[in-house]
Amino acid sequence: MVQIFYRKASENSEIHVLYERCKRLARTAKSQEIIHQNFCPDLRDHMPSKQIADRLIQAYLRTFESVYRIVHVPSFLCEYDQYWGNPQAASPTFIIMTLLMLAIGNSFCQSRDPVKDYVPRTTSAQWIFTAQTWLSSPFEKSRLNIANLQAQCLLLLARQTNAVSSDLVWISAGTLLRTALHMGFHIDPRHIEGISFFDAQLRRRIWSTILEIVVQSSLDAGGLPLIHYDDYDCEPPLNIDDVQMEDPIPKAKALEDFTDTSLQIALRRSLPARLQIAQFVNDFRRGTSYDEALQLNKILANIYHECSALFAAFKKSEKCPTLFQSNIYDFMTQRFLLALHDSFSIKSKTNPTLYYSHKIALETAMRILAPFSTSIPRDPDYTALLLTGSPSFRDVPAQAAAIIADDIMGRIREHPVNTSGSVLYTSYPLSHEDSKRIIEEFISGMLARIESGETNINGYLVSACFLARIDAMERGQPVDEVLSRTMLSVLETCSKILEDRVERSSPSTPGMGLNRATNGHSAPTEFNNQFSWSLNDDLDIEMDIGSWFPSFAFS
């Protein structure tokens, strides 16, 4: 599809001009989001009203704290209540942690409900930059403690949920990991003489969270995971609720009973396999052994099926996972299978012995895009994360949509189309229409993401072109004409959205940074294979979607 865009842009100056205009608008919009602020000596000045804070804290607790266990919730809420009674007595670390929780929670409260106090995303960015400034101040040994480590974890999660330098989280995760190693968190608390049960469980939770941040950011950045599963012996936390941590004689619940740590325990079960997969796909010296890939697939798939059975058992316990928890668990595990099989799935077009990877990649893509399906309930929190979260919540679904679209187009070629335009086959593992509907819903989600503040339009553009090509193939229409119209329509839509955003942000300087020519058009430049096509513009790292389908015949 990217090769087609090269050709269309070189043939049609209007497509080229619109795309270049969108790129300039996006850069201008991003530059307006950058906040340069001085360090505020009194951190309390950044705290919102209690009414707003209560709502955002609850949003954080029901979402990310239920996945990445960082604090003991009852203890935090007690200190939180004390803060409003006597703000002057609060420690700087507590205020920083609270601001970061507010920033994370705010990403799930962007509905602009007039009944509720709306907090703009720029305020979240200010909270994040304040925390970053404070944590980056000259380091003292006295700050080498659990609270500071918790604040570092929250900072990285806040950057990811608000897409604030989220592409650089892997770099910061290295610092977080080394800090935890220096503090001995990789060593199981049973080796620490005299440690309390509470502290032991808190250390295990935080270490599991750090490992999860490391492995997820590793896959995001295409970097090595920085640690091997043999480098630590810290065990997962016990299956207990937070209220049990202060019991005189705490007793772990059965794994079939859902608790405050069940999701973290489930993620830890697959962590060694996911670390190996991250190492396998990101090590330039490896990643070519299909036997090794199949072995890693078997390990992770077996664990996933076991955990799926466990999730089914949770329904019989006193409480069960929320839809957000189920969706985020699937995303955090299934993306590793997609990364593992993607390259082999592409090669299966010319090498039938690799067909199993195509099958697994397609099944995994369907699971990743399941939240976009109209046949299952929508979770507003997970939808909010897809709209405003880090690029991984944009790029992984985009990759999944491309895999499904490629499969549909391949099957259309293999089967005839009747006069009504309906295809005479059933796409695996969903019907043809269901598969198309998921892509349509995903495209709507990508547009909503741009409307919510995203500046990268490439995922939306490519996905829309895939769908347009499928429709044209079904109807027997000229594909080139349909794609040209689709590209122009998408670029015009994105240009309008980005221009409105730039003008809202700088009303006194309309058109700032657009570098328009006097006639409203920029001079076309020659397109070649060096054209920058990236789903990750923040670092200008090329993510060539065309490389996903090197053998695909576009003519």
Side-chain angles (χ1 to χ4, degrees):
M1 194 61 68
V2 178
Q3 286 83 353
I4 292 179
F5 186 85
Y6 294 156
R7 176 164 55 83
K8 290 292 181 185
S10 62
E11 296 172 352
N12 189 325
S13 62
E14 190 175 1
I15 292 177
H16 174 210
V17 168
L18 275 172
Y19 185 73
E20 288 298 315
R21 176 172 172 75
C22 286
K23 288 175 67 175
R24 288 194 298 274
L25 285 164
R27 292 191 187 105
T28 302
K30 287 181 71 67
S31 68
Q32 292 171 341
E33 294 173 359
I34 297 175
I35 300 174
H36 300 284
Q37 64 176 38
N38 296 323
F39 176 68
C40 181
D42 193 345
L43 298 174
R44 289 178 289 270
D45 292 343
H46 294 283
M47 288 287 287
S49 67
K50 187 176 186 301
Q51 179 181 353
I52 293 176
D54 287 350
R55 182 165 60 90
L56 301 188
I57 288 295
Q58 288 303 316
Y60 163 75
L61 294 178
R62 74 170 181 263
T63 54
F64 264 53
E65 180 60 39
S66 71
V67 181
Y68 294 92
R69 296 312 319 273
I70 296 175
V71 300
H72 179 246
V73 175
S75 298
F76 169 78
L77 291 178
C78 180
E79 193 170 357
Y80 177 77
D81 289 338
Q82 291 173 356
Y83 170 84
W84 295 109
N86 184 11
Q88 301 299 324
S91 68
T93 307
F94 171 79
I95 298 176
I96 289 297
M97 289 174 59
T98 303
L99 290 175
L100 291 170
M101 290 181 186
L102 295 174
I104 297 171
N106 192 37
S107 62
F108 300 99
C109 300
Q110 292 293 302
S111 63
R112 302 192 183 218
D113 187 338
V115 178
K116 300 176 181 177
D117 293 320
Y118 169 71
V119 180
R121 293 178 65 189
T122 52
T123 301
S124 294
Q126 290 175 345
W127 290 333
I128 293 170
F129 283 121
T130 297
Q132 180 75 69
T133 302
W134 188 84
L135 288 168
S136 301
S137 59
F139 202 82
E140 299 176 3
K141 194 171 182 179
S142 60
R143 285 171 56 182
L144 205 62
N145 52 43
I146 289 181
N148 191 273
L149 207 58
Q150 290 169 312
Q152 289 186 54
C153 291
L154 287 167
L155 174 62
L156 299 191
L157 295 180
R159 284 169 53 183
Q160 289 183 315
T161 54
N162 290 274
V164 175
S165 298
S166 53
D167 300 316
L168 305 178
V169 163
W170 178 65
I171 299 174
S172 303
T175 300
L176 171 64
L177 177 64
R178 288 189 294 274
T179 303
L181 290 170
H182 184 78
M183 296 174 64
F185 272 67
H186 61 300
I187 301 172
D188 192 75
R190 69 178 183 274
H191 302 301
I192 304 176
E193 186 177 354
I195 190 171
S196 68
F197 176 82
F198 181 95
D199 288 341
Q201 291 305 307
L202 189 59
R203 288 175 69 96
R204 285 177 175 175
R205 290 181 177 191
I206 294 173
W207 177 248
S208 294
T209 291
I210 291 171
L211 290 177
E212 196 61 49
I213 291 174
V214 166
V215 74
Q216 294 292 337
S217 63
S218 169
L219 210 58
D220 290 342
L224 298 177
L226 310 175
I227 193 169
H228 190 269
Y229 61 87
D230 285 335
D231 295 336
Y232 59 89
D233 77 338
C234 185
E235 297 179 358
L238 294 179
N239 191 41
I240 58 176
D241 289 314
D242 281 21
V243 294
Q244 294 179 264
M245 287 178 64
E246 297 178 299
D247 288 350
I249 307 178
K251 182 180 179 181
K253 296 184 178 181
L255 289 178
E256 293 77 15
D257 292 334
F258 186 75
T259 70
D260 296 335
T261 52
S262 290
L263 198 61
Q264 188 173 59
I265 293 171
L267 288 168
R268 269 296 296 269
R269 290 182 67 178
S270 65
L271 184 68
R274 289 184 290 129
L275 281 171
Q276 287 180 278
I277 291 174
Q279 180 78 32
F280 178 80
V281 300
N282 291 337
D283 188 341
F284 66 92
R285 295 162 297 188
R286 297 172 63 192
T288 57
S289 170
Y290 194 47
D291 289 339
E292 186 176 0
L294 291 177
Q295 183 62 29
L296 291 172
N297 168 81
K298 181 179 179 180
I299 296 172
L300 183 55
N302 286 342
I303 295 173
Y304 177 78
H305 291 315
E306 291 171 1
C307 288
S308 296
L310 199 59
F311 271 67
F314 288 154
K315 296 178 181 179
K316 301 177 182 178
S317 63
E318 294 181 4
K319 58 181 180 179
C320 59
T322 64
L323 192 54
F324 174 85
Q325 291 171 322
S326 298
N327 285 335
I328 196 72
Y329 171 79
D330 275 346
F331 179 87
M332 293 168 71
T333 54
Q334 293 301 295
R335 62 179 305 209
F336 286 84
L337 284 177
L338 196 66
L340 180 64
H341 285 283
D342 186 47
S343 62
F344 297 109
S345 176
I346 294 169
K347 296 174 184 176
S348 70
K349 293 174 179 293
T350 56
N351 185 354
T353 62
L354 303 178
Y355 177 77
Y356 178 74
S357 282
H358 172 72
K359 175 178 176 291
I360 296 299
L362 186 59
E363 290 177 348
T364 304
M366 290 292 190
R367 279 195 289 267
I368 288 174
L369 292 186
F372 291 95
S373 174
T374 56
S375 61
I376 64 173
R378 291 287 183 95
D379 175 61
D381 286 333
Y382 191 70
T383 300
L385 188 60
L386 293 173
L387 290 179
T388 63
S390 65
S392 61
F393 292 103
R394 173 196 69 203
D395 297 345
V396 175
Q399 184 180 6
I403 289 171
I404 295 172
D406 181 45
D407 179 74
I408 293 174
M409 289 186 287
R411 291 175 181 273
I412 290 176
R413 289 191 185 86
E414 297 172 0
H415 296 269
V417 180
N418 63 21
T419 55
S420 66
S422 61
V423 182
L424 304 178
Y425 71 91
T426 299
S427 180
Y428 180 87
L430 292 180
S431 71
H432 172 74
E433 290 304 321
D434 286 341
S435 299
K436 270 189 63 178
R437 196 172 297 113
I438 286 180
I439 296 176
E440 291 169 352
E441 291 296 321
F442 169 73
I443 292 171
S444 298
M446 292 296 282
L447 176 58
R449 185 178 171 101
I450 295 172
E451 292 172 336
S452 298
E454 175 66 66
T455 57
N456 189 310
I457 69 169
N458 294 334
Y460 173 49
L461 175 61
V462 170
S463 302
C465 287
F466 272 129
L467 184 61
R469 185 179 180 88
I470 290 171
D471 288 338
M473 293 172 68
E474 288 178 343
R475 295 182 173 89
Q477 297 175 340
V479 172
D480 272 9
E481 293 180 13
V482 172
L483 286 178
S484 293
R485 290 197 300 268
T486 301
M487 290 177 187
L488 285 171
S489 175
V490 168
L491 291 172
E492 287 170 355
T493 299
C494 293
S495 177
K496 182 66 169 62
I497 293 172
L498 292 170
E499 185 172 7
D500 289 346
R501 186 183 309 157
V502 168
E503 290 180 353
R504 284 198 308 270
S505 300
S506 55
S508 60
T509 55
M512 181 184 69
L514 303 186
N515 298 324
R516 298 186 193 178
T518 55
N519 61 356
H521 297 285
S522 61
T525 57
E526 182 180 354
F527 269 71
N528 53 44
N529 289 334
Q530 299 302 312
F531 178 73
S532 175
W533 186 273
S534 168
L535 278 181
N536 199 345
D537 284 337
D538 292 340
L539 285 178
D540 200 28
I541 299 174
E542 292 192 0
M543 184 176 180
D544 187 0
I545 301 179
S547 67
W548 297 351
F549 317 114
S551 61
F552 194 82
F554 289 109
S555 58

